Amino acid sequence: MATTIRQDTSDEGWIVRENPARPSQIVGRIAVTPPRDIARIVAAASKAQAEWAELELEQRIALFERAIEDVSSLETLSCEMTQEMGKPLLECTGELHFALALALDMARRARRLLPDETRGKGAGRRVVRRAPFGVVAAIVPWNAPIILAMTKIAPALLSGNAIVIKPSPLAPLGLTNLVSAIAGKLPRGLISVVNGGAETGNALLSAPEVTKVAFTGGTEVGRMVLRAAAERFVPCTLELGGNDPLIVMPGLDLTPKTMEAIVWGSFLNTGQVCMAAKRLLVHEAMMADFVDAYVETARSVFRVGSPIDPMTNMGPMITRAAQQRIDALAIDSARQGGTVIPLLDQALPDCGYFARPRLVTGLSPDARLVCEEQFGPIVPILGWQSEDEVIALANAHDSLSASAWSGDTSGAWSLASRTKAGLRLVNAHNRSGFSFDLPFGGSGRAGYGREYGDEGLLEYTQAVAMHQPPASEAAQSYPGAA
Ligand code: NAD
């Protein structure tokens, strides 16, 4: 049954979500938030934030934990996510559990990191306080909406901020329902959702009470968001698109387990993952064996079909345009001298935005598929001979993560450490390389600021210093001077 969500009285229109696996099926409709309501919602968030920030830290954390724990039983949510995104059901269930675990992990970090910190010894008083910014505007993409919202919701609220979230119009239903469930357990106005596209995003960014922006999405939209924030000197965390390299070193044992990890490094969520391995850089001595093992593994593990079927591990693309872009990249790659190898033995479902997974060999480093973030199930593979050469190839494009694979883990560690990615991995990529303890984020056009780990919490605070010098040092000399 289709969901209809009307958050506010709206005369501005509706977002209608179709099922990417069966486009004739309308999954749900959600009201676009009119600009006047956005102004009211942000003003209410600002009012709620003032009281929220005054609570004792432990009280704030306990209220947050209770709000999160109460929603962990939302079972219908994963089905709804699958239907609006086309992401396989098991993936959506996993996303939900991951997001809730992340929230509780952040709460533990808040207990440790957010109390006032006394610095230095001796007379006088020096304290560093982790103050909130105020109201956070969070704008998120469609490909992992719950996780990418929770990386912002948890640290923002725990730090004493309020938050207003704008989901992507391509996946608004599950996230709006989750936020409504959390919001019902917290002070009114502290956490809200506004729905719509670029115009709604702009209206949110221009609300005067917004004092921090957290954006995840594509690089070009990130540039626009940064410009809007710069108008009012509002600090931004930007998690953008990457063109992440996966390096295979000579002598890697191509076991089925290793090959599966490498294949899924690129193809999880049909390749629609920010930190997917988007370029494979394989030592020339391994190339022929590696390609054979890769194709054989992919063909044996991929099960493309209805994402609601628990056996399916690869669903459709999010839109017709995304599907057509991947097909166009395959055609361009062949024109540019590449050999396009299909990675699927079965036929594609006859309706829905399914794209055939493909590997492309024989491209030059300036081919379109190598230089652009494909964000879908087609991956180029390039050869290399020296470590300097592969580091130049790896660092030719900005990335969120980079991985090196070898039986010699210390050699892989030192090669990975020469990449310029925010997350440098050894014998892991994509999900297998993730840890709540480590910060995540990009460099260059892939963005800046960090999510996850201690850094991902402190991103939502500003250090405020309190200082009462000892009476004897209150004269005009420089501190530390004789
Ligand atoms: P997108 O940039 O098109 O949209 C992201 C969000 O921005 C959506 O909510 C959209 O409605 C909103 N938006 C669009 N134009 C806007 C404007 N002018 N002002 C304000 N908001 C605006 O991205 P997408 O297609 O939803 O997601 C795919 C991209 O996101 C890929 O490039 C992917 O790599 C990237 N991504 C990055 C990360 C990360 O952690 N770095 C994670 C997931 C996805």
Side-chain angles (χ1 to χ4, degrees):
M1 196 178 61
T3 316
T4 298
I5 303 177
R6 180 184 274 276
Q7 284 173 277
D8 288 292
T9 45
S10 168
D11 48 14
E12 307 285 315
W14 294 83
I15 297 165
V16 179
R17 256 329 273 155
E18 65 193 10
N19 181 345
R22 194 142 61 89
S24 59
Q25 181 197 355
I26 299 305
V27 179
R29 297 165 6 111
I30 196 160
V32 171
T33 313
R36 62 172 183 279
D37 286 352
I38 296 174
R40 181 179 55 71
I41 287 166
V42 178
S46 177
K47 199 155 162 270
Q49 188 270 332
E51 287 179 24
W52 180 246
E54 286 301 309
L55 293 180
E56 290 293 326
L57 176 62
E58 186 48 48
Q59 196 183 353
R60 208 159 68 209
I61 296 173
L63 284 169
F64 175 80
E65 283 174 330
R66 185 145 31 95
I68 291 297
E69 277 160 2
D70 278 0
V71 298
S72 58
S73 62
L74 281 186
E75 280 165 18
T76 48
L77 202 58
S78 35
C79 278
E80 186 170 46
M81 289 160 65
T82 291
Q83 288 190 313
E84 66 175 332
M85 271 190 278
K87 188 191 277 192
L89 185 61
L90 288 180
E91 290 289 312
C92 289
T93 309
E95 171 166 355
L96 208 45
H97 285 127
F98 180 96
L100 296 170
L102 167 67
L104 298 177
D105 173 78
M106 276 290 162
R108 287 189 286 275
R109 288 175 201 281
R111 271 195 187 93
R112 178 166 55 79
L113 293 171
L114 297 186
D116 284 358
E117 178 195 344
T118 299
R119 294 244 178 119
K121 290 199 170 66
R125 209 172 159 199
R126 288 159 294 277
V127 169
V128 176
R129 179 161 294 166
R130 299 289 174 180
F133 284 97
V135 178
V136 176
I139 299 181
V140 298
W142 59 267
N143 66 321
I146 305 291
I147 290 175
L148 296 169
M150 193 56 83
T151 55
K152 301 161 184 59
I153 292 168
L157 293 183
L158 288 161
S159 306
N161 301 281
I163 188 164
V164 181
I165 301 139
K166 192 198 86 59
S168 163
L170 297 175
L173 303 172
L175 181 52
T176 301
N177 281 332
L178 178 76
V179 172
S180 304
I182 296 172
K185 307 281 187 318
L186 288 169
R188 199 175 162 75
L190 190 66
I191 169 170
S192 321
V193 179
V194 295
N195 269 299
E199 217 174 297
T200 306
N202 274 317
L204 176 59
L205 294 174
S206 59
E209 297 90 346
V210 166
T211 41
K212 159 97 185 164
V213 169
F215 173 80
T216 300
T219 296
E220 288 316 314
V221 176
R223 192 197 301 278
M224 287 191 265
V225 167
L226 185 56
R227 272 204 197 108
E231 281 297 321
R232 291 193 297 109
F233 297 93
V234 172
C236 270
T237 302
L238 295 174
E239 295 284 353
L240 308 180
N243 193 350
D244 298 15
L246 181 155
I247 302 171
V248 176
M249 296 174 71
L252 177 70
D253 192 1
L254 306 178
T255 63
K257 192 165 166 237
T258 297
M259 290 313 299
E260 268 201 45
I262 290 179
V263 164
W264 284 120
S266 295
F267 285 92
L268 265 180
N269 198 20
T270 322
Q272 303 169 114
V273 176
C274 59
M275 63 178 300
K278 293 178 181 141
R279 295 173 290 146
L280 305 179
L281 308 177
V282 176
H283 192 272
E284 292 286 7
M286 308 275 299
M287 184 61 92
D289 289 345
F290 182 86
V291 170
D292 284 349
Y294 195 94
V295 172
E296 190 188 325
T297 306
R299 288 184 181 164
S300 71
V301 297
F302 291 165
R303 290 188 302 275
V304 177
S306 165
I308 209 80
D309 177 347
M311 294 306 289
T312 296
N313 58 22
M314 194 178 287
M317 306 288 298
I318 185 75
T319 56
R320 166 91 56 216
Q323 175 204 35
Q324 288 171 341
R325 192 171 153 272
I326 293 302
D327 289 343
L329 276 171
I331 293 168
D332 267 18
S333 297
R335 273 201 205 113
Q336 292 184 307
T339 302
V340 180
I341 306 173
L343 296 178
L344 197 64
D345 269 341
Q346 63 178 103
L348 287 180
D350 52 12
C351 73
Y353 306 140
F354 290 90
R356 186 167 292 283
R358 301 155 169 121
L359 178 71
V360 183
T361 61
L363 287 174
S364 68
D366 58 0
R368 183 178 163 207
L369 179 61
V370 181
C371 299
E372 269 182 28
E373 185 197 24
Q374 65 276 58
F375 214 61
I378 181 166
V379 187
I381 182 164
L382 302 183
W384 58 275
Q385 288 178 335
S386 73
E387 293 200 353
D388 285 348
E389 184 190 0
V390 77
I391 287 300
L393 281 172
N395 290 344
H397 302 285
D398 292 323
S399 62
L400 297 155
S401 67
S403 63
W405 294 68
S406 173
D408 164 19
T409 47
S410 64
W413 186 275
S414 67
L415 192 65
S417 71
R418 292 177 64 196
T419 67
K420 62 179 189 182
L423 177 60
R424 302 165 192 188
L425 300 163
V426 170
N427 295 348
H429 203 112
N430 211 333
R431 183 170 312 144
S432 63
F434 232 87
S435 164
F436 282 166
D437 287 326
L438 295 174
F440 176 79
S443 61
R445 292 163 55 89
Y448 51 73
R450 294 293 180 255
E451 294 191 322
Y452 301 93
D454 292 355
E455 293 80 359
L457 174 64
L458 296 179
E459 194 82 21
Y460 290 81
T461 69
Q462 32 191 348
V464 172
M466 301 276 303
H467 190 195
Q468 179 190 334
S472 60
E473 285 175 19
Q476 296 304 313
S477 62
Y478 284 110

